[in-house]
Amino acid sequence: MSRHPTRILPVTAAMLLLLGGCVKKTEYDALQIENQTLQTRVDETNHLLEQSQADLSSLQAQMQQFAAVQTTLKKTQLELSQTQEELKALKAQFDRFRTQRRSAMVGRKFPVLSLDDGKVLRDAEITAVSAEDVSLRHADGLVRVAFAKTTPDLRWEACYDPMEAAEKAREKMLLQAREMESRLAREQAGPSQTPDSSAAMPARNVVDILRTQLAAQRQALNADYQALAAKNPGAMRGVLWNSSQPEASPLLNTLSGSRAVLGISRLQAQRDAILLTLQQLRQLDPSAR
């Protein structure tokens, strides 16, 4: 039995030599190259997989951030909506308070009332209050005074706001302009196209109405200019103002004037309404100024 191992070793070596001789070296090298190529592809695929996983993680983080931003946006929108509702309620409350305050002024009497424009009214009594002016009965008759020309106490008591007054005046002027346009259209259409010819106004009456409207518009523009000048004395110093034809004042018709004072656009809107009235008036009376 001791002689068997020594006899097996030579046989095994011979068999390995025979098997090695069965695979050519060129085929072996090709297999090695193919194995390396496959290993490289595997490495590249693993790298791409790792990169994709990193991109996926980044995308998931971004989606989470986006979801958080969406939640914050919805919360902010809700808060904004609630704030707007609260502001709307506060404005309505203030409007009621201001209306009540102005109504309470009616009937108030003054033995002597000295206005900012220098006029002195005796035995004055407030008969009506609006956003723009106050109506007074006094020893010499009736008068309606723009709040800008009254007194600081009256303006404070009426919660006077120049912006509100200008807006109300503008609304009235636009309403009057639309009414006049409608009347003029009916007048120009002639009796045959007017449903009720008795409702058509004579041209002379239309001219008188337009002249009255023009005077009221110019008076309102002068009053708002005075209010604006009182709020901006430095900017308005040296400004030329044509009180008889305020719509022609350089302040409203030059670029430098438009830049001078905040709020000038409201005066320019009033100027435009006056120019519209003038245009309508001149169609009926070319000599109108």
Side-chain angles (χ1 to χ4, degrees), residues 180 183 200-212 284:
M180 290 308 306
R183 291 177 184 176
M201 298 175 60
R204 186 70 258 167
N205 289 353
V206 175
V207 170
D208 291 339
I209 292 173
L210 285 172
R211 287 187 183 278
T212 301
L284 300 175

Side-chain angles (χ1 to χ4, degrees), residues 18-34:
L18 288 173
L19 288 173
C22 293
V23 179
K24 295 181 179 180
K25 187 176 185 306
T26 55
E27 293 179 357
Y28 176 78
D29 292 341
L31 289 173
Q32 285 288 91
I33 294 172
E34 184 178 356

Side-chain angles (χ1 to χ4, degrees), residues 119-244:
K119 293 181 181 179
V120 178
L121 305 179
R122 301 187 181 280
D123 298 326
E125 180 182 354
I126 297 176
T127 59
V129 179
S130 70
E132 312 100 289
D133 50 45
V134 57
S135 298
L136 296 153
R137 182 187 295 110
H138 59 103
D140 298 324
L142 299 172
V143 67
R144 189 169 65 178
V145 184
F147 267 116
K149 296 182 179 180
T150 57
T151 67
D153 288 343
L154 285 178
R155 287 192 287 271
W156 176 83
E157 191 170 353
C159 301
Y160 172 67
D161 180 3
M163 296 299 186
E164 181 204 11
E167 184 63 27
K168 293 293 184 182
R170 181 175 177 274
E171 291 175 0
K172 287 182 180 179
M173 286 187 291
L174 291 176
L175 178 60
Q176 291 172 351
R178 284 194 292 267
E179 291 175 349
M180 290 308 306
E181 286 178 358
S182 178
R183 291 177 184 176
L184 287 172
R186 290 197 301 267
E187 177 67 20
Q188 293 172 357
S192 60
Q193 299 183 27
T194 305
D196 184 1
S197 60
S198 62
M201 298 175 60
R204 186 70 258 167
N205 289 353
V206 175
V207 170
D208 291 339
I209 292 173
L210 285 172
R211 287 187 183 278
T212 301
Q213 175 177 306
L214 179 62
Q217 289 174 328
R218 283 173 169 168
Q219 181 181 3
L221 179 54
N222 281 325
D224 287 339
Y225 165 74
Q226 294 297 334
L228 195 61
K231 291 180 63 178
N232 303 272
M236 305 296 277
R237 186 177 295 111
V239 171
L240 297 177
W241 184 260
N242 185 350
S243 58
S244 60

Side-chain angles (χ1 to χ4, degrees), residues 5-18:
T6 57
R7 293 178 60 186
I8 291 173
L9 289 174
V11 173
T12 304
M15 290 180 65
L16 288 173
L17 289 174
L18 288 173

